[in-house]
Structure formats: C-alpha cells, structure tokens
Amino acid sequence: MHLDFSAAPDGQTFSADVCVVGTGAAGITLTTELIRRGLSVCLVESGGFELDGATQSLHEVENTGISRRPTVTTRLRMFGGTTNHWTGKCGRLDELDFEARPWVPDSGWPITRRDLDPFYDRAQPFLDLAPRLTGAELAAVFDAPAPDLDGTVASLYAWQLSPPTRFGPKFRDAIERSPQVQLLLNASVVNVQANADASRVEHLDIRSLDGKTGKVKAQQYVIGCGGIENARLLLLSDNVMRGGLGNQNDLVGRYFMEHLRNRQLVVFDSDPYTIQRVYNTYHAPEGLYLLGLGLSRELQEKEQILNAAFFANFEATEASATDSASHIANALAHGEKPADFSASVLRAVQDLDQIAVNVRRKLLRRGSRELTNELSLLVIETEQAPNRDSRIDLSSQRDLLGLRRPRVQWRMNEMDRKTVLTAAQSIAGELWRHHRARMHLPDSMQEPLEDWVYNFKDVSHHIGTTRMAEDPKRGVVNKHCQVHGTHNLYMAGSSVFPTGGHVNPTMTIVALAVRLSDHLVSLHGKG
Amino acid sequence: MRTLRGSLNQARRRVLAASGAVLLAASSLRAASSRPVDNQTQRRAALINRFFGGSYDARAVGASYLAAEPAERDADFLWTRLFGSNEPRDRATCSRLLAERIAEDFRNRDVVHIQGWIVARAEARACALVHLS
C-alpha cells in the first residue's frame, strides 16, 4: 500500500523491520529483496509518483566549487528517483578499482571484485541486461574486426546497456501490492534520531512540505538518497553527535567524486569505416552492448594514473564531401595518390562549409548498428582521484522544509588532469596503429589545472561522500555499509564507493543493495 | 556561439588540409624554390612525402613543429634522428622505418600536439624535413 503522507493525520508513527529511505535504484532493489525474504519494509520517499516543482526544489544546492549542472535538473525527487531519466549504461568496476593502488592516495575498498561478482550477477535482471560479455567476447560473438591491441595500453571494454530500466514503473505494482511494504510518499526525512551515545538509531523524523510530522521506527535503517543527500542527512542529524551522525572523524561529505566525461576528442579515420566497425553499439536479442576501450592495469600503474575508458559517438556528414574524403583517405592509407586527386581534394574541402547532415545507412551482418560514414567523436570517461577537499557540507541557505541545503565544493586535481592527457595520448597511438586514425585534443585540454577544469561538465555520478573502509578513521561505513559506531544505520548507493572507476555507478549500486539485503536478512535470522 | 558541429567541421577541414587537401607540398617540390635548398634535402623530403601520399600538408605540420623546437631546424639532424644515419634510403625502406618510428614514439608517448592533433614526434620531424625543403 502507499500513503500520501501529506494527507495523513499529523503525528503518526510507522513501524517495520527495516526502514528504507529513498526509492531510487538502491532503495527499490533493497525493498524488493527484503520483502522477497519475508521482512517488512517502511519505504520513505520525499516525492510522489509524479515530479512536482516544490518537492524538486528540495534538491537545490549551494555550489561553491567547480561549476556544475543544477542538481534540480540532474536528480529526481520522485518514486523511482533518478532512474526516471538515466541513460542505461552499465558495467562492473574493474578488479583494480577495488585495490589499494600505491599511486592513488586513499584508494582501496574493504571488499574485492570477486566478493561483489555474485551480486553483480543478481543485479542483472533488475537492470534488464543482456548476458555479460567481456570486450573480446563481444567482438568475437559479433565477428567484429577487433584490432590486436597492445594489452599493456588498452583492451576492448564492453558496456551492457539497460533499456534503460525505469525502476518506478517496473517495480511500483509489486511494491504497492505487497502487504509487507508501507510506502510513504511526500515524506522527507529531516532527522535521524540516535540514542544518547549515537550507538543506535531510535527513529526517523519525517515531515511533509505542508508541515505534517511523523516518525518511522525500525530495527534497521538504510539511507539511499544519492551521494549528496546521503551525506547531507547525516550532517543534519547532529543533536546527539556534534558534526553529524557517523562524522566522528570528519569524513562525512568528504571525497566527493564525479566521473569526468569529455566529448571533444575527435578522430578522423584514414578509412572511415574501420573505427565504426569495431567501436559501436551491438544489438543482441537479449539486449544491447557498447564496445569501447579501457585502459590497462599496466598503463595505469606505469604512468601513475587513474582508470579511464573510451567509446565512440558518430556524426554524419554530407555524402559527396565524405566520399571525396574517404577516397583520399583510403589512398593515403596505401601510400598512393588517387588518380583524380585534385578534384577529390577540392570537392572535399569546398563542401565542408555547406555540409548538411545526411546519414548513409549500410547494414553490417546481424549485430552492429547501421554504419554511417561519419566523423568519429571519441568520448573519454575517467575516474577522479579521491580528494578529501572535494566535499559536501552544509550551507547557511535553507530549503522549504527549513533544513540547511547541501553546499557542494567539487574539486579536481593534477592526477585527474594527467589521467586524461596520458590516456588520450596512449589511445591515440593504438588508433593510429590499427586504423591510421588521428586524435584531436583541443588546446584547452592542455591548460593548467585551474583553467583545465572548464573542459568538463559533471555527469551527475555523486560518489564517495560516505565512503567504505573497515577503519573508522578512513571511512564512514564498514564493509557491510553500516555506519561506524551506529549499529543499525546503513548507507546505500554510490556514496559508499571509496573510488569510482571509470564505469557508470548504477550496476554497482544495485549489486551493493542486493548484498546489503542479504546482510540485513541474516540479522533477522531469515535464510 | 560556435556549435560543436561547426567546430568539428573546422577541425576536420584542418585535418583534411594536412592530410592531402592541398597540393602545395607536392607541387612546391616540383616548382623551383626561391629558397636555397640543397638537392639532398629535396630528395629526402620527396621520399618522406611519398610516405604521406604526396599530398599531405607536411610543410604546415613541419613548420608548426619547428616553431616549437627551433633547435631541430637542421635537415641532417632530422634525417639522422629518423633513419639512424645519413645513408640514402629507397622509398620502401623510408616508409617502413618511418612507420616503425611513429609506432615506437606512440608506445613511448613521445608525442607533440600540433594544432590540437596528437602527432608522434617522428612524424612531426618528418614533416619538418619536408618543410625545410
């Protein structure tokens, strides 16, 4: 059943085995798994089934760091959360991403990739993914002409593409019909109330925009509201522990990371089809894949850089100019001058200014999407280095509930910059070697850090603000995602990631939620 | 504001210009040059131009490279760096050695950025040799 809390009587108390706050990928996954195993859940959502402006304004932040896209446009405060508009790109973190890398300060998870693999497997159906394939396997299945890459530089990397699954519509029915779930809509958590020594949470205080108040009591509480809001809620809950719950070592909100995505890398093929034949989207009956390149462990270690990956976007150009360019390029690749060289050159150059978008369709065998004779835009996505000074704390500005807004101070550092430049130069070599393709990097990408940061927009992957570590001096939560010192309080979502890898976080978020559900079920003695 | 498509088209035009949109490099080798250039340098430049298909605007790339590395403005130096000695080479050998040097430079990340394009240093040096001709 669901309850519109704003229409409920004031002062109600709701009880369940577990309280889950947030109905994004983490909260819905957790709830689904918990009720399947026989537990009752009070699921608390700040918004309703539809987006509304007043509730969405609760996502406003004060931004004092690197310029970012407005959070009110990138995070959704409604049932299903940000899965209502995500793009579906999924992948597993690499093994190296979990390791403590000596050249990356504050790296290392308290769990390994192998620990998480069974939960990645269980995450697949939540995200409606095709069976997992490595990059090499994907190329083999679709008979793509995979280049013989220098494995010390890069290897093929395959993303799995969710349709994208909208968790709200997919799971709403089952959640509403379950007698084990109380879904509270339009109920915002305003305080996590702990006991006198902060060793346990006693209840959550909830409030609606029109001033209704209530409480939620449970044996365990899980906060899954996103990387900014997760930290904010802990920081706001400071009437027992000064500085906020779980913040005894001044770590809550710190190490705020994003993924850096840059679309300015341009590749011009000598033979325009060689890149598209490999780095493309592949359609299987069970779902979609995207094939790109991931940096090798060896390169990261040798160059002391972070993880990064590349994939291609394509842009169409008018046929005749492109034909001319292809004609020239093909000839050049063989060290020959085309017979009608002058005419081809002039046509290609003169037509560029009047190029109209025209897509030429040429189907490959089953599998890859239609080929187009296009300019290749290479997208690079990189990990950010854990940076203690990149953080979320509390602003003096207040929202409609009277709560202090988050203040976002996003930072980048020299390792981030070095990673992008080194990765681009390394991949440029592989592209030249296999495709005689050339990569372009705008001059702005070589500027000093303070100006270099403007090459990037955030991609709204909010990572690291309640990071995981077994030592409470190094993390906010332990390997079970339990807040250090507060035994029945857990965090869910990408806020618990100590490092972010290059890959989109959603699949890892869902896998960790499945894993957490197993842990919570075990606390209740259920199998 | 310039659109991304416009920027990319301009970038692509520059690449095409560098990759063979202009005949100047080839034709200028045939035309009498007003600069005092020795025959050996011209012969070497002609061999390198063949690697690029005879129409690559190697001069422009080479000029940019030498503007950043003026100490390398020496044909003998460049030739030796590329091919190991001053001995004459045939076209096939030049092409093979140049390709190997370029691959090696990319492996070692010995690259330069010329008008934003990531170019192996060997290629930039080869273009510099053409420019000097």
PDB file of all heavy atoms in Angstrom, chain B residues 105-131:
ATOM      1  N   ASP B 105      57.285   5.831 -31.113  1.00  0.00           N
ATOM      2  CA  ASP B 105      57.055   7.078 -30.389  1.00  0.00           C
ATOM      3  C   ASP B 105      55.702   7.074 -29.682  1.00  0.00           C
ATOM      4  O   ASP B 105      55.581   7.556 -28.553  1.00  0.00           O
ATOM      5  CB  ASP B 105      57.128   8.273 -31.345  1.00  0.00           C
ATOM      6  CG  ASP B 105      58.566   8.666 -31.660  1.00  0.00           C
ATOM      7  OD1 ASP B 105      59.477   8.070 -31.054  1.00  0.00           O
ATOM      8  OD2 ASP B 105      58.766   9.551 -32.506  1.00  0.00           O
ATOM      9  N   PHE B 106      54.710   6.528 -30.325  1.00  0.00           N
ATOM     10  CA  PHE B 106      53.411   6.440 -29.650  1.00  0.00           C
ATOM     11  C   PHE B 106      53.508   5.517 -28.441  1.00  0.00           C
ATOM     12  O   PHE B 106      52.947   5.789 -27.380  1.00  0.00           O
ATOM     13  CB  PHE B 106      52.331   5.930 -30.611  1.00  0.00           C
ATOM     14  CG  PHE B 106      51.633   7.017 -31.376  1.00  0.00           C
ATOM     15  CD1 PHE B 106      51.592   7.004 -32.753  1.00  0.00           C
ATOM     16  CD2 PHE B 106      50.983   8.057 -30.702  1.00  0.00           C
ATOM     17  CE1 PHE B 106      50.942   8.012 -33.461  1.00  0.00           C
ATOM     18  CE2 PHE B 106      50.319   9.054 -31.401  1.00  0.00           C
ATOM     19  CZ  PHE B 106      50.313   9.036 -32.787  1.00  0.00           C
ATOM     20  N   ARG B 107      54.248   4.422 -28.601  1.00  0.00           N
ATOM     21  CA  ARG B 107      54.412   3.497 -27.464  1.00  0.00           C
ATOM     22  C   ARG B 107      55.057   4.198 -26.288  1.00  0.00           C
ATOM     23  O   ARG B 107      54.702   3.985 -25.142  1.00  0.00           O
ATOM     24  CB  ARG B 107      55.277   2.303 -27.874  1.00  0.00           C
ATOM     25  CG  ARG B 107      54.516   1.007 -28.073  1.00  0.00           C
ATOM     26  CD  ARG B 107      55.414  -0.209 -28.117  1.00  0.00           C
ATOM     27  NE  ARG B 107      56.604  -0.051 -28.918  1.00  0.00           N
ATOM     28  CZ  ARG B 107      56.658  -0.233 -30.239  1.00  0.00           C
ATOM     29  NH1 ARG B 107      55.575  -0.536 -30.918  1.00  0.00           N
ATOM     30  NH2 ARG B 107      57.788  -0.071 -30.894  1.00  0.00           N
ATOM     31  N   ASN B 108      56.028   5.045 -26.588  1.00  0.00           N
ATOM     32  CA  ASN B 108      56.753   5.755 -25.529  1.00  0.00           C
ATOM     33  C   ASN B 108      56.090   7.088 -25.183  1.00  0.00           C
ATOM     34  O   ASN B 108      56.618   7.855 -24.383  1.00  0.00           O
ATOM     35  CB  ASN B 108      58.200   6.018 -25.964  1.00  0.00           C
ATOM     36  CG  ASN B 108      58.964   4.732 -26.147  1.00  0.00           C
ATOM     37  OD1 ASN B 108      58.704   3.743 -25.456  1.00  0.00           O
ATOM     38  ND2 ASN B 108      59.899   4.718 -27.083  1.00  0.00           N
ATOM     39  N   ARG B 109      54.970   7.331 -25.790  1.00  0.00           N
ATOM     40  CA  ARG B 109      54.244   8.586 -25.614  1.00  0.00           C
ATOM     41  C   ARG B 109      55.124   9.794 -25.894  1.00  0.00           C
ATOM     42  O   ARG B 109      55.013  10.837 -25.253  1.00  0.00           O
ATOM     43  CB  ARG B 109      53.612   8.682 -24.222  1.00  0.00           C
ATOM     44  CG  ARG B 109      52.310   7.930 -24.124  1.00  0.00           C
ATOM     45  CD  ARG B 109      51.418   8.348 -22.990  1.00  0.00           C
ATOM     46  NE  ARG B 109      52.134   8.526 -21.758  1.00  0.00           N
ATOM     47  CZ  ARG B 109      52.346   9.705 -21.182  1.00  0.00           C
ATOM     48  NH1 ARG B 109      51.911  10.813 -21.732  1.00  0.00           N
ATOM     49  NH2 ARG B 109      53.014   9.778 -20.049  1.00  0.00           N
ATOM     50  N   ASP B 110      55.981   9.625 -26.886  1.00  0.00           N
ATOM     51  CA  ASP B 110      56.782  10.770 -27.328  1.00  0.00           C
ATOM     52  C   ASP B 110      55.985  11.440 -28.450  1.00  0.00           C
ATOM     53  O   ASP B 110      56.166  11.164 -29.624  1.00  0.00           O
ATOM     54  CB  ASP B 110      58.149  10.297 -27.825  1.00  0.00           C
ATOM     55  CG  ASP B 110      59.081  11.461 -28.104  1.00  0.00           C
ATOM     56  OD1 ASP B 110      58.702  12.626 -27.836  1.00  0.00           O
ATOM     57  OD2 ASP B 110      60.197  11.215 -28.597  1.00  0.00           O
ATOM     58  N   VAL B 111      55.042  12.263 -28.040  1.00  0.00           N
ATOM     59  CA  VAL B 111      54.110  12.884 -28.981  1.00  0.00           C
ATOM     60  C   VAL B 111      54.168  14.385 -28.829  1.00  0.00           C
ATOM     61  O   VAL B 111      54.607  14.910 -27.803  1.00  0.00           O
ATOM     62  CB  VAL B 111      52.663  12.385 -28.765  1.00  0.00           C
ATOM     63  CG1 VAL B 111      52.570  10.881 -28.977  1.00  0.00           C
ATOM     64  CG2 VAL B 111      52.145  12.767 -27.391  1.00  0.00           C
ATOM     65  N   VAL B 112      53.720  15.059 -29.858  1.00  0.00           N
ATOM     66  CA  VAL B 112      53.584  16.512 -29.803  1.00  0.00           C
ATOM     67  C   VAL B 112      52.152  16.846 -30.208  1.00  0.00           C
ATOM     68  O   VAL B 112      51.482  16.059 -30.876  1.00  0.00           O
ATOM     69  CB  VAL B 112      54.597  17.222 -30.732  1.00  0.00           C
ATOM     70  CG1 VAL B 112      56.006  17.027 -30.205  1.00  0.00           C
ATOM     71  CG2 VAL B 112      54.489  16.724 -32.152  1.00  0.00           C
ATOM     72  N   HIS B 113      51.711  18.008 -29.779  1.00  0.00           N
ATOM     73  CA  HIS B 113      50.362  18.460 -30.112  1.00  0.00           C
ATOM     74  C   HIS B 113      50.505  19.592 -31.112  1.00  0.00           C
ATOM     75  O   HIS B 113      51.036  20.650 -30.794  1.00  0.00           O
ATOM     76  CB  HIS B 113      49.633  18.939 -28.861  1.00  0.00           C
ATOM     77  CG  HIS B 113      49.349  17.838 -27.888  1.00  0.00           C
ATOM     78  ND1 HIS B 113      48.060  17.398 -27.637  1.00  0.00           N
ATOM     79  CD2 HIS B 113      50.149  17.058 -27.140  1.00  0.00           C
ATOM     80  CE1 HIS B 113      48.113  16.397 -26.751  1.00  0.00           C
ATOM     81  NE2 HIS B 113      49.367  16.171 -26.440  1.00  0.00           N
ATOM     82  N   ILE B 114      50.039  19.334 -32.327  1.00  0.00           N
ATOM     83  CA  ILE B 114      50.159  20.336 -33.385  1.00  0.00           C
ATOM     84  C   ILE B 114      48.760  20.707 -33.827  1.00  0.00           C
ATOM     85  O   ILE B 114      48.018  19.876 -34.357  1.00  0.00           O
ATOM     86  CB  ILE B 114      50.989  19.783 -34.559  1.00  0.00           C
ATOM     87  CG1 ILE B 114      52.433  19.568 -34.071  1.00  0.00           C
ATOM     88  CG2 ILE B 114      50.954  20.742 -35.749  1.00  0.00           C
ATOM     89  CD1 ILE B 114      53.367  19.020 -35.115  1.00  0.00           C
ATOM     90  N   GLN B 115      48.414  21.951 -33.559  1.00  0.00           N
ATOM     91  CA  GLN B 115      47.045  22.427 -33.817  1.00  0.00           C
ATOM     92  C   GLN B 115      46.028  21.488 -33.167  1.00  0.00           C
ATOM     93  O   GLN B 115      44.950  21.251 -33.696  1.00  0.00           O
ATOM     94  CB  GLN B 115      46.771  22.539 -35.320  1.00  0.00           C
ATOM     95  CG  GLN B 115      47.648  23.581 -35.989  1.00  0.00           C
ATOM     96  CD  GLN B 115      47.454  23.634 -37.493  1.00  0.00           C
ATOM     97  OE1 GLN B 115      46.695  22.866 -38.061  1.00  0.00           O
ATOM     98  NE2 GLN B 115      48.166  24.554 -38.133  1.00  0.00           N
ATOM     99  N   GLY B 116      46.396  20.943 -32.043  1.00  0.00           N
ATOM    100  CA  GLY B 116      45.499  20.068 -31.305  1.00  0.00           C
ATOM    101  C   GLY B 116      45.600  18.608 -31.677  1.00  0.00           C
ATOM    102  O   GLY B 116      45.154  17.745 -30.921  1.00  0.00           O
ATOM    103  N   TRP B 117      46.170  18.305 -32.822  1.00  0.00           N
ATOM    104  CA  TRP B 117      46.278  16.901 -33.233  1.00  0.00           C
ATOM    105  C   TRP B 117      47.461  16.248 -32.520  1.00  0.00           C
ATOM    106  O   TRP B 117      48.528  16.820 -32.410  1.00  0.00           O
ATOM    107  CB  TRP B 117      46.430  16.787 -34.751  1.00  0.00           C
ATOM    108  CG  TRP B 117      45.184  17.250 -35.434  1.00  0.00           C
ATOM    109  CD1 TRP B 117      44.928  18.490 -35.938  1.00  0.00           C
ATOM    110  CD2 TRP B 117      43.987  16.492 -35.632  1.00  0.00           C
ATOM    111  NE1 TRP B 117      43.654  18.552 -36.435  1.00  0.00           N
ATOM    112  CE2 TRP B 117      43.048  17.348 -36.265  1.00  0.00           C
ATOM    113  CE3 TRP B 117      43.607  15.173 -35.347  1.00  0.00           C
ATOM    114  CZ2 TRP B 117      41.764  16.921 -36.618  1.00  0.00           C
ATOM    115  CZ3 TRP B 117      42.324  14.751 -35.702  1.00  0.00           C
ATOM    116  CH2 TRP B 117      41.424  15.622 -36.325  1.00  0.00           C
ATOM    117  N   ILE B 118      47.237  15.051 -32.037  1.00  0.00           N
ATOM    118  CA  ILE B 118      48.283  14.305 -31.338  1.00  0.00           C
ATOM    119  C   ILE B 118      49.114  13.599 -32.402  1.00  0.00           C
ATOM    120  O   ILE B 118      48.617  12.717 -33.116  1.00  0.00           O
ATOM    121  CB  ILE B 118      47.676  13.294 -30.353  1.00  0.00           C
ATOM    122  CG1 ILE B 118      46.820  14.021 -29.315  1.00  0.00           C
ATOM    123  CG2 ILE B 118      48.779  12.500 -29.665  1.00  0.00           C
ATOM    124  CD1 ILE B 118      46.097  13.085 -28.345  1.00  0.00           C
ATOM    125  N   VAL B 119      50.377  13.994 -32.521  1.00  0.00           N
ATOM    126  CA  VAL B 119      51.249  13.527 -33.593  1.00  0.00           C
ATOM    127  C   VAL B 119      52.495  12.923 -32.961  1.00  0.00           C
ATOM    128  O   VAL B 119      53.084  13.514 -32.058  1.00  0.00           O
ATOM    129  CB  VAL B 119      51.641  14.712 -34.511  1.00  0.00           C
ATOM    130  CG1 VAL B 119      52.608  14.273 -35.592  1.00  0.00           C
ATOM    131  CG2 VAL B 119      50.407  15.341 -35.123  1.00  0.00           C
ATOM    132  N   ALA B 120      52.893  11.761 -33.452  1.00  0.00           N
ATOM    133  CA  ALA B 120      54.141  11.174 -32.974  1.00  0.00           C
ATOM    134  C   ALA B 120      55.305  12.075 -33.369  1.00  0.00           C
ATOM    135  O   ALA B 120      55.305  12.674 -34.457  1.00  0.00           O
ATOM    136  CB  ALA B 120      54.329   9.776 -33.572  1.00  0.00           C
ATOM    137  N   ARG B 121      56.287  12.160 -32.506  1.00  0.00           N
ATOM    138  CA  ARG B 121      57.396  13.073 -32.785  1.00  0.00           C
ATOM    139  C   ARG B 121      58.100  12.723 -34.092  1.00  0.00           C
ATOM    140  O   ARG B 121      58.509  13.605 -34.847  1.00  0.00           O
ATOM    141  CB  ARG B 121      58.402  13.065 -31.638  1.00  0.00           C
ATOM    142  CG  ARG B 121      59.494  14.145 -31.778  1.00  0.00           C
ATOM    143  CD  ARG B 121      60.419  14.173 -30.575  1.00  0.00           C
ATOM    144  NE  ARG B 121      59.729  14.561 -29.375  1.00  0.00           N
ATOM    145  CZ  ARG B 121      59.489  15.825 -29.016  1.00  0.00           C
ATOM    146  NH1 ARG B 121      59.897  16.827 -29.783  1.00  0.00           N
ATOM    147  NH2 ARG B 121      58.857  16.090 -27.891  1.00  0.00           N
ATOM    148  N   ALA B 122      58.226  11.453 -34.387  1.00  0.00           N
ATOM    149  CA  ALA B 122      58.886  11.061 -35.640  1.00  0.00           C
ATOM    150  C   ALA B 122      58.144  11.631 -36.844  1.00  0.00           C
ATOM    151  O   ALA B 122      58.756  12.087 -37.815  1.00  0.00           O
ATOM    152  CB  ALA B 122      58.964   9.539 -35.739  1.00  0.00           C
ATOM    153  N   GLU B 123      56.824  11.580 -36.783  1.00  0.00           N
ATOM    154  CA  GLU B 123      56.046  12.123 -37.892  1.00  0.00           C
ATOM    155  C   GLU B 123      56.258  13.635 -37.990  1.00  0.00           C
ATOM    156  O   GLU B 123      56.414  14.191 -39.087  1.00  0.00           O
ATOM    157  CB  GLU B 123      54.570  11.797 -37.697  1.00  0.00           C
ATOM    158  CG  GLU B 123      53.696  12.306 -38.838  1.00  0.00           C
ATOM    159  CD  GLU B 123      52.254  11.872 -38.709  1.00  0.00           C
ATOM    160  OE1 GLU B 123      51.915  11.197 -37.718  1.00  0.00           O
ATOM    161  OE2 GLU B 123      51.458  12.222 -39.605  1.00  0.00           O
ATOM    162  N   ALA B 124      56.259  14.294 -36.839  1.00  0.00           N
ATOM    163  CA  ALA B 124      56.468  15.741 -36.842  1.00  0.00           C
ATOM    164  C   ALA B 124      57.854  16.082 -37.401  1.00  0.00           C
ATOM    165  O   ALA B 124      58.020  17.059 -38.145  1.00  0.00           O
ATOM    166  CB  ALA B 124      56.310  16.284 -35.424  1.00  0.00           C
ATOM    167  N   ARG B 125      58.835  15.281 -37.072  1.00  0.00           N
ATOM    168  CA  ARG B 125      60.193  15.519 -37.590  1.00  0.00           C
ATOM    169  C   ARG B 125      60.256  15.286 -39.090  1.00  0.00           C
ATOM    170  O   ARG B 125      60.940  16.008 -39.820  1.00  0.00           O
ATOM    171  CB  ARG B 125      61.199  14.611 -36.878  1.00  0.00           C
ATOM    172  CG  ARG B 125      61.575  15.118 -35.497  1.00  0.00           C
ATOM    173  CD  ARG B 125      62.446  14.157 -34.744  1.00  0.00           C
ATOM    174  NE  ARG B 125      63.017  14.811 -33.581  1.00  0.00           N
ATOM    175  CZ  ARG B 125      63.534  14.164 -32.539  1.00  0.00           C
ATOM    176  NH1 ARG B 125      63.566  12.832 -32.542  1.00  0.00           N
ATOM    177  NH2 ARG B 125      64.037  14.837 -31.513  1.00  0.00           N
ATOM    178  N   ALA B 126      59.535  14.260 -39.527  1.00  0.00           N
ATOM    179  CA  ALA B 126      59.489  14.007 -40.971  1.00  0.00           C
ATOM    180  C   ALA B 126      58.863  15.197 -41.690  1.00  0.00           C
ATOM    181  O   ALA B 126      59.348  15.639 -42.740  1.00  0.00           O
ATOM    182  CB  ALA B 126      58.695  12.724 -41.242  1.00  0.00           C
ATOM    183  N   CYS B 127      57.829  15.718 -41.119  1.00  0.00           N
ATOM    184  CA  CYS B 127      57.194  16.892 -41.716  1.00  0.00           C
ATOM    185  C   CYS B 127      58.125  18.101 -41.663  1.00  0.00           C
ATOM    186  O   CYS B 127      58.140  18.927 -42.592  1.00  0.00           O
ATOM    187  CB  CYS B 127      55.890  17.209 -40.974  1.00  0.00           C
ATOM    188  SG  CYS B 127      54.631  15.943 -41.171  1.00  0.00           S
ATOM    189  N   ALA B 128      58.892  18.191 -40.615  1.00  0.00           N
ATOM    190  CA  ALA B 128      59.844  19.298 -40.512  1.00  0.00           C
ATOM    191  C   ALA B 128      60.864  19.226 -41.641  1.00  0.00           C
ATOM    192  O   ALA B 128      61.277  20.252 -42.205  1.00  0.00           O
ATOM    193  CB  ALA B 128      60.530  19.260 -39.151  1.00  0.00           C
ATOM    194  N   LEU B 129      61.251  18.024 -41.970  1.00  0.00           N
ATOM    195  CA  LEU B 129      62.211  17.837 -43.065  1.00  0.00           C
ATOM    196  C   LEU B 129      61.600  18.300 -44.384  1.00  0.00           C
ATOM    197  O   LEU B 129      62.268  18.953 -45.206  1.00  0.00           O
ATOM    198  CB  LEU B 129      62.583  16.363 -43.142  1.00  0.00           C
ATOM    199  CG  LEU B 129      63.853  15.997 -43.891  1.00  0.00           C
ATOM    200  CD1 LEU B 129      65.056  16.707 -43.307  1.00  0.00           C
ATOM    201  CD2 LEU B 129      64.079  14.491 -43.847  1.00  0.00           C
ATOM    202  N   VAL B 130      60.344  17.984 -44.564  1.00  0.00           N
ATOM    203  CA  VAL B 130      59.657  18.447 -45.774  1.00  0.00           C
ATOM    204  C   VAL B 130      59.585  19.972 -45.778  1.00  0.00           C
ATOM    205  O   VAL B 130      59.804  20.624 -46.805  1.00  0.00           O
ATOM    206  CB  VAL B 130      58.242  17.836 -45.854  1.00  0.00           C
ATOM    207  CG1 VAL B 130      57.465  18.431 -47.028  1.00  0.00           C
ATOM    208  CG2 VAL B 130      58.326  16.328 -45.982  1.00  0.00           C
ATOM    209  N   HIS B 131      59.295  20.532 -44.642  1.00  0.00           N
ATOM    210  CA  HIS B 131      59.191  21.998 -44.551  1.00  0.00           C
ATOM    211  C   HIS B 131      60.521  22.651 -44.915  1.00  0.00           C
ATOM    212  O   HIS B 131      60.562  23.672 -45.619  1.00  0.00           O
ATOM    213  CB  HIS B 131      58.785  22.393 -43.135  1.00  0.00           C
ATOM    214  CG  HIS B 131      58.875  23.871 -42.871  1.00  0.00           C
ATOM    215  ND1 HIS B 131      58.004  24.781 -43.439  1.00  0.00           N
ATOM    216  CD2 HIS B 131      59.740  24.584 -42.126  1.00  0.00           C
ATOM    217  CE1 HIS B 131      58.332  26.005 -43.037  1.00  0.00           C
ATOM    218  NE2 HIS B 131      59.374  25.917 -42.252  1.00  0.00           N
TER     219      HIS B 131
END
